[in-house]
Amino acid sequence: MPDQRPDPVPAALYARVSSDRQDVDLSVAAQLRALRDHAEKNNYLVVREYVDEAESGRVADRPQFRKMLDEASGEDAPFEEILVWKFSRFTRKREHAVAFKSMLRRRGIRVVSITEHADDSPTGKLMEAIIESVDEFYSENLIPEVQSRQNHPSGSPA
């Protein structure tokens, strides 16, 4: 009896940690482990892996992120989905999420969080927008806290 499974979906994995959040972010190795495991269990063929370390999700000019977007924009994009551990790994700016995901969608490429459910239904799209907005809010509130720690490394204000 022939195998009835559809062809695996070609996917890229994207992992990122930022220097100021190393203690809270899942490490790159842990993100990649979770992404590879998810890919194997859900009929994905991992064709690319992109990793940005010590890169803020608030900026779009991350080396591997840019390389991934460039390859996705090419004539023959090597993948149909980009798997991320959480949407915040892709970006922490809502305007970037909207712009880059729209560009990718026009190329037939979806960004999928393996831990946050957001499908293509109206409810799923709303959930994704809320998650992205909360991620941006969290990031913006983290900036003064990180600056305060840098100015007062002992942990107590002067």
Side-chain angles (χ1 to χ4, degrees):
M1 189 147 135
D3 186 358
Q4 297 298 316
R5 284 188 88 185
D7 288 338
V9 176
L13 309 182
Y14 180 72
R16 180 187 64 77
V17 290
S18 54
S19 56
D20 59 344
R21 299 195 56 241
Q22 295 286 349
D23 56 327
V24 222
D25 283 342
L26 200 58
S27 71
V28 163
Q31 287 178 53
L32 288 174
R33 235 183 345 268
L35 290 166
R36 289 176 188 137
D37 185 51
H38 179 86
E40 185 178 322
K41 289 178 179 167
N42 292 279
N43 201 31
Y44 287 101
L45 173 64
V46 176
V47 294
R48 297 282 194 281
E49 292 185 4
Y50 304 92
V51 175
D52 280 312
E53 294 196 57
E55 294 285 347
S56 170
R58 293 183 50 75
V59 298
D61 197 21
R62 294 170 258 147
Q64 289 292 297
F65 184 75
R66 277 296 186 203
K67 181 177 180 184
M68 177 178 68
L69 293 179
D70 287 347
E71 289 189 13
S73 298
E75 249 339 277
D76 266 340
F79 45 84
E80 294 173 14
E81 294 196 10
I82 297 170
L83 303 180
V84 293
W85 177 61
K86 294 177 80 171
F87 288 120
S88 66
R89 302 304 81 212
F90 186 75
T91 184
R92 278 196 179 274
K93 282 191 74 99
R94 177 82 177 113
E95 66 185 282
H96 290 166
V98 170
F100 293 130
K101 287 179 179 178
S102 294
M103 180 272 295
L104 289 165
R105 228 178 274 111
R106 284 192 300 275
R107 308 279 314 155
I109 298 170
R110 291 180 55 223
V111 177
V112 176
S113 165
I114 67 168
T115 60
E116 300 159 320
H117 181 69
D119 57 28
D120 286 332
S121 71
T123 302
K125 290 175 183 175
L126 175 63
M127 289 307 302
E128 187 171 340
I130 291 169
I131 290 165
E132 291 166 349
S133 296
V134 169
D135 286 342
E136 181 175 48
F137 175 81
Y138 177 80
S139 182
E140 287 178 0
N141 279 317
L142 191 66
I143 293 169
E145 185 181 313
V146 169
Q147 289 170 339
S148 174
R149 270 190 264 148
Q150 289 170 343
N151 294 334
H152 307 289
S154 66
S156 60

